[in-house]
């Protein structure tokens, strides 16, 4: 039987169909729960965006998801972050960007980032009491920390805009909003555990066992996400698919992006060839999941690229005079939502499919377990496109 590292959405089933049924229902429940408290705030925010012409207004669900994310990430990290006294946050956030744009320098940058993360950004102690009603200085500090980690850059860019909006409100209104967010976070923590807990049973034991393993490593934050964050990302992927669907179905060509851990052979033996977008499978192994997707793509008219973790996603943006491309990205729970936000920022019409479980050798498992996605879910997304 395959080993589950932190999560598996095929838990006790032959595939992840049951998960997709459940998460669809739970996404409706989450949006319904938010409708009385967070959705009205999102509507106020939309008016503010329109008044100051800050961006093209997006779907309301995206703004609701931003508020849910703010609540959960604040609850998870603010106590730790506010203990950081002196850290070169701007330098660290620049390093996080450089590693995306300059893949050849990534190993060296990651080496230094790993040390700096542990020494400067993760002080090891946490405030004892949670701050549910922060001031703007505290929000600014936490957002700078989010950006510096390189793991929450997209969220930080969005939270800063929320912070600007909140600063235009009367103090009582601002406090009422943050109280609603904190109450929603508590509800989500309890309810998501009931609905999604069976898929994330191993997260806590993994964190316990891995206390020292990730120290000094650049993937320390990414690989030590809490169970609540897994649940946030599961619901986030579902809400994003809902919100981004209209743009995606109007695209003319499709690319499916998969991580290297889906390969059936170790990196050194894989015969995929390097192209500008990533790697293209050459079909050297029939049972390799990438090869199977490639063959499916030949029948269903999409191409498949293997892309490295934390690669620059701006190259997927549509170019003038070319066919409009939609992207279906697959990654593990801890990274998928961040990539979804990034693709959105570059205007790439995207959908996502979770890896059924994590297993890559670089981040999760000493030998590596080839990963896979649910092809039924992939077909449902492909079939949603206008023919
Ligand atoms: S089938 Fe493709 S992706 Fe899989 S190992 Fe071979 S070349 Fe690499």
């Amino acid at each position: 039987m395959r080993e589950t590292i932190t999560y598996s959405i095929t838990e006790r089933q032959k595939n992840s169909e049951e998960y997709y049924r459940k998460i669809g229902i739970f996404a409706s429940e989450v949006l319904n729960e938010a409708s009385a408290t967070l959705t009205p705030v999102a509507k106020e925010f939309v008016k503010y965006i329109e008044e100051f012409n800050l961006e093209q207004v997006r779907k309301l669900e995206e703004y609701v998801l931003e508020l849910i994310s703010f609540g959960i990430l604040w609850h998870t990290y603010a106590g730790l972050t506010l203990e950081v006294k002196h850290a070169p946050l701007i330098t660290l956030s620049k390093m996080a960007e450089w590693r995306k744009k300059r893949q050849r320098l990534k190993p060296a940058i990651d080496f230094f980032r790993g040390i700096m993360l542990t020494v400067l950004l993760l002080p090891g102690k946490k405030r004892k009491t949670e701050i549910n009603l922060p001031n703007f200085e505290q929000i600014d500090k936490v957002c700078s920390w989010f950006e510096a980690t390189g793991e929450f850059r997209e969220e930080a860019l969005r939270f800063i805009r929320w912070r600007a909006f909140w600063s235009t409100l009367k103090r009582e209104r601002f406090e009422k909003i943050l109280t609603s967010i904190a109450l929603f976070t508590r509800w989500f923590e309890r309810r998501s555990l009931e609905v999604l807990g069976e898929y994330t049973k191993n997260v806590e034991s993994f964190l316990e066992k891995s206390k020292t393993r990730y120290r000094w490593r650049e993937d320390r934050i990414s690989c030590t996400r809490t169970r609540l964050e897994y649940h946030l990302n599961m619901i986030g992927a579902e809400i994003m698919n809902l919100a981004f669907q209209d743009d995606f179905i109007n695209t003319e060509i499709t690319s499916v992006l998969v991580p290297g851990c889906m390969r059936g052979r170790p990196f050194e033996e894989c015969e995929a060839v390097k192209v500008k977008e990533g790697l293209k499978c050459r079909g050297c192994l029939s049972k390799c999941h990438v090869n199977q997707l490639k063959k499916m793509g030949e029948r269903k008219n999409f191409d498949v690229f293997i892309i490295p973790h934390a690669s620059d996603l701006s190259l997927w943006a549509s170019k003038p005079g070319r066919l409009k491309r939609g992207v279906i990205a697959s990654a593990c729970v801890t990274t998928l939502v961040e990539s979804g936000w990034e693709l959105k920022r570059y205007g790439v019409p995207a959908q996502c499919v979770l890896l059924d479980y994590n297993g890559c050798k670089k981040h999760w498992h000493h030998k590596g377990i080839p990963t896979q996605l649910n092809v039924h879910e992939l077909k449902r997304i492909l079939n949603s496109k206008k023919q």
Side-chain angles (χ1 to χ4, degrees):
M1 215 175 95
R2 181 181 39 78
E3 178 185 347
T4 297
I5 302 170
T6 57
Y7 83 96
S8 167
I9 58 173
T10 61
E11 199 59 22
R12 287 188 283 116
Q13 308 282 334
K14 70 177 187 320
N15 60 32
S16 46
E17 285 297 271
E18 177 63 9
Y19 167 82
Y20 282 105
R21 192 189 63 78
K22 268 192 182 180
I23 196 77
I25 296 170
F26 188 46
S28 303
E29 185 184 339
V30 168
L31 291 173
N32 189 41
E33 181 71 22
S35 64
T37 52
L38 304 189
T39 310
V41 181
K43 286 183 181 163
E44 271 182 68
F45 185 51
V46 167
K47 280 194 196 141
Y48 166 80
I49 288 172
E50 284 172 334
E51 188 182 343
F52 294 98
N53 200 15
L54 296 176
E55 63 177 27
Q56 196 179 358
V57 173
R58 295 174 279 130
K59 287 277 174 70
L60 202 58
E61 292 90 346
E62 287 185 55
Y63 298 113
V64 173
L65 178 59
E66 287 173 14
L67 285 175
I68 298 172
S69 303
F70 179 84
I72 292 172
L73 296 180
W74 183 272
H75 170 73
T76 308
Y77 294 104
L80 194 69
T81 305
L82 294 171
E83 289 300 301
V84 174
K85 298 293 176 237
H86 307 286
L89 297 176
I90 295 172
T91 306
L92 279 161
S93 68
K94 280 194 177 144
M95 284 170 86
E97 269 306 280
W98 292 336
R99 70 196 279 273
K100 280 182 174 244
K101 307 269 180 206
R102 296 171 179 81
Q103 288 287 321
R104 277 196 317 180
L105 295 179
K106 196 163 166 254
I109 295 176
D110 282 351
F111 175 77
F112 289 109
R113 264 172 46 79
I115 296 170
M116 288 167 90
L117 277 181
T118 292
V119 174
L120 302 169
L121 292 189
L122 296 163
K125 55 181 176 177
K126 197 173 175 178
R127 282 174 91 103
K128 297 227 168 31
T129 48
E130 188 166 348
I131 302 169
N132 284 328
L133 290 176
N135 57 40
F136 292 121
E137 201 186 321
Q138 289 169 325
I139 295 177
D140 288 342
K141 185 169 179 189
V142 172
C143 286
S144 301
W145 185 90
F146 280 150
E147 206 174 343
T149 62
E151 302 294 334
F152 308 101
R153 178 159 198 266
E154 296 300 320
E155 285 86 348
L157 294 174
R158 286 159 178 81
F159 297 160
I160 285 294
R161 198 158 275 179
W162 278 98
R163 181 260 191 244
F165 163 59
W166 290 332
S167 69
T168 66
L169 304 176
K170 292 208 169 98
R171 183 75 201 173
E172 306 85 73
R173 176 72 188 128
F174 168 61
E175 288 185 358
K176 200 166 170 220
I177 290 172
L178 287 205
T179 304
S180 300
I181 295 174
L183 288 173
F184 190 90
T185 301
R186 261 182 247 155
W187 173 83
F188 184 85
E189 186 168 29
R190 178 186 58 75
R191 187 68 185 128
S192 67
L193 192 61
E194 286 167 5
V195 180
L196 303 173
E198 67 177 300
Y199 305 112
T200 57
K201 279 190 296 224
N202 286 13
V203 173
E204 277 153 11
S205 58
F206 175 83
L207 294 178
E208 194 53 39
K209 275 188 288 186
S210 314
K211 266 185 181 155
T212 52
R213 176 175 164 197
Y214 290 98
R215 193 169 290 161
W216 314 115
R217 284 175 47 162
E218 65 77 31
D219 58 355
R220 178 171 174 180
I221 293 174
S222 167
C223 293
T224 56
R225 297 292 185 93
T226 62
R227 205 169 177 186
L228 176 60
E229 289 178 274
Y230 276 72
H231 299 163
L232 167 66
N233 287 348
M234 286 171 164
I235 206 68
E238 193 65 18
I239 293 178
M240 275 182 168
N241 275 357
L242 269 177
F244 300 169
Q245 191 180 39
D246 286 351
D247 287 343
F248 176 78
I249 60 177
N250 289 312
T251 54
E252 295 155 301
I253 52 171
T254 309
S255 296
V256 173
L257 315 184
V258 299
C261 58
M262 201 181 272
R263 291 179 282 206
R265 286 189 152 157
F267 149 77
E268 315 79 51
E269 293 166 28
C270 166
E271 294 179 15
V273 286
K274 199 163 174 14
V275 291
K276 156 166 87 50
E277 296 91 341
L279 294 167
K280 286 220 86 168
C281 169
R282 288 184 58 204
C284 70
L285 184 69
S286 62
K287 65 173 192 188
C288 170
H289 295 139
V290 182
N291 190 17
Q292 288 164 359
L293 286 180
K294 178 174 93 84
K295 290 199 171 131
M296 185 176 155
E298 284 156 8
R299 294 192 305 273
K300 293 196 169 284
N301 204 20
F302 62 83
D303 50 12
V304 179
F305 294 93
I306 303 167
I307 61 162
H309 174 68
S311 56
D312 178 13
L313 297 177
S314 64
L315 65 88
W316 298 99
S318 288
K319 313 273 181 311
R322 301 250 186 100
L323 289 175
K324 197 159 188 223
R325 191 201 305 248
V327 157
I328 303 174
S330 186
C332 73
V333 171
T334 55
T335 56
L336 192 60
V337 167
E338 181 75 6
S339 303
W341 287 129
E342 189 177 346
L343 285 166
K344 178 72 190 191
R345 185 160 58 82
Y346 291 128
V348 183
Q351 293 283 281
C352 59
V353 186
L354 284 179
L355 288 177
D356 279 351
Y357 46 86
N358 51 354
C360 87
K361 191 173 169 183
K362 186 167 177 212
H363 300 293
W364 295 107
H365 192 264
H366 62 289
K367 282 194 190 143
I369 303 170
T371 55
Q372 62 181 31
L373 55 72
N374 181 322
V375 287
H376 302 295
E377 178 67 4
L378 180 65
K379 282 183 194 162
R380 282 192 283 271
I381 293 174
L382 290 164
N383 291 341
S384 71
K385 280 188 99 163
K386 291 187 176 156
Q387 299 303 314

